[in-house]
Amino acid sequence: MDDNQITYPFVIGHRGAAGYAPENTLASLELAYKLGVRFIEVDVMLTADNHAIIFHDHTLDRTTSLKGKVSHHNWSQLQGQDSGSWFHLDYANQGILHLKDLINFANEHPDLILNIELKPRLSNSIKTTSLAIQQLKKDVQNPERLILSSFDVLALKTAQMLWPKCYRALNLETRYPGWSTIAKNLKCKAIHIDQQQITSGFIQRCHRMNMAVRCFTVNDPSRARQLKAMQVDGLFTDKPADLFSHIF
Ligand code: G3P
Ligand code: MG
């Protein structure tokens, strides 16, 4: 797996195009792609019966017609549930995606770079990562265009052991002590960090470590321009069309 050939686009569709369509749904992925986004981030977690699904919150309440914890539901209870009308009634037909659906989408769009953010719940980092990797290794046609990222260090450690060649990125909400040693030991190629944490010094430090810096979540075009001028390598955005039209 050689990613030296790959140019990573600056604009990254956050949960697809979460500002324009319900996050982490097929509609959101399709819209992002249609808008010209070629680098998309989604979140992955496990159901009670160990299906990897594309979902952000650990509870169903905000974005589906169901309530309660994702981890208390089997895939058969989640499959086909309305995951779109919370956003707009036009999207009532959008269901929760299985990791297999996401892989199919990626295989149908071979020019896409896919960032899978592993979101294990407490104490299932190893299981979440190994089951996701098992499926990804089996079915993804362009693994060199895949990035596995996580806030969860054990998830990334598991990814490093099970799939050392797959691109890893460490997610940071804050620049906690020891982050750089962790990223180095995990052989991460990038840091994905909250935009409020960014300084020029931090960017330079990551670049000296040969790590790219990408920031989440940037929807304001003037802030995007500012971060671009600071040499950030990528921006996760809910509103890719707004950034395309204002910064390029
Ligand atoms: O992976 C970047 C970003 O998605 C991390 O935060 O909470 O939006 O998943 P969150
Ligand atoms: Mg995410």
Side-chain angles (χ1 to χ4, degrees):
M1 200 181 299
D2 179 8
D3 58 59
N4 292 334
Q5 321 287 323
I6 293 175
T7 305
Y8 293 89
F10 187 71
V11 173
I12 306 153
H14 186 233
R15 311 181 197 170
Y20 311 138
E23 62 186 56
N24 287 329
T25 63
L26 189 59
S28 191
L29 299 176
E30 283 173 341
L31 182 56
Y33 191 86
K34 195 171 140 200
L35 291 169
V37 177
R38 293 296 179 269
F39 189 170
I40 289 179
E41 184 260 9
V42 296
D43 308 288
V44 167
M45 65 180 62
L46 293 185
T47 62
D49 55 344
N50 296 323
H51 284 263
I53 61 166
I54 312 306
F55 209 78
H56 180 270
D57 298 0
H58 285 285
T59 56
L60 296 158
D61 306 39
R62 182 177 64 88
T63 60
T64 76
S65 45
L66 298 174
K67 291 205 183 312
K69 292 188 173 173
V70 173
S71 59
H72 290 174
H73 290 76
N74 287 335
W75 171 240
S76 60
Q77 297 169 286
L78 299 180
Q79 190 171 19
Q81 290 295 332
D82 176 356
S83 194
S85 15
W86 71 273
F87 186 90
H88 192 283
L89 286 177
D90 286 354
Y91 294 104
N93 62 343
Q94 293 299 305
I96 298 173
L97 293 181
H98 195 283
L99 179 57
K100 285 181 188 171
D101 303 317
L102 176 75
I103 295 172
N104 287 341
F105 181 83
N107 289 342
E108 284 160 13
H109 300 86
D111 57 345
L112 190 67
I113 289 164
L114 186 62
N115 176 191
I116 291 189
E117 188 199 332
L118 299 160
K119 278 215 188 285
R121 63 181 181 277
L122 208 62
S123 84
N124 82 344
S125 312
I126 296 175
K127 199 199 269 180
T128 304
T129 308
S130 35
L131 290 174
I133 285 182
Q134 198 178 19
Q135 192 122 53
L136 292 164
K137 271 188 171 176
K138 185 163 80 68
D139 294 330
V140 166
Q141 285 165 8
N142 295 303
E144 69 285 353
R145 301 183 78 80
L146 189 63
I147 294 178
L148 297 176
S149 66
S150 193
F151 292 103
D152 187 305
V153 173
L154 183 53
L156 289 176
K157 183 79 200 153
T158 307
Q160 184 180 25
M161 284 192 310
L162 296 179
W163 206 3
K165 286 182 177 171
C166 191
Y167 188 131
R168 285 177 297 285
L170 176 64
N171 279 13
L172 296 178
E173 222 128 35
T174 62
R175 291 173 286 157
Y176 54 75
W179 68 267
S180 65
T181 309
I182 290 171
K184 241 184 280 174
N185 290 344
L186 289 167
K187 295 201 163 56
C188 287
K189 292 186 177 171
I191 301 293
H192 294 175
I193 185 166
D194 189 321
Q195 54 137 334
Q196 291 172 354
Q197 298 287 317
I198 282 291
T199 63
S200 293
F202 177 83
I203 297 164
Q204 285 161 18
R205 186 166 172 203
C206 292
H207 286 170
R208 279 198 300 274
M209 291 162 64
N210 286 321
M211 290 180 200
V213 181
R214 304 188 181 101
C215 305
F216 55 86
T217 303
V218 182
N219 296 331
D220 172 14
S222 64
R223 177 65 174 153
R225 276 194 296 272
Q226 199 179 41
L227 290 164
K228 194 165 190 277
M230 289 169 78
Q231 311 293 321
V232 157
D233 301 283
L235 302 178
F236 297 88
T237 181
D238 298 323
K239 299 186 168 183
D242 293 32
L243 294 207
F244 282 141
S245 59
H246 285 91
I247 59 173
F248 298 115

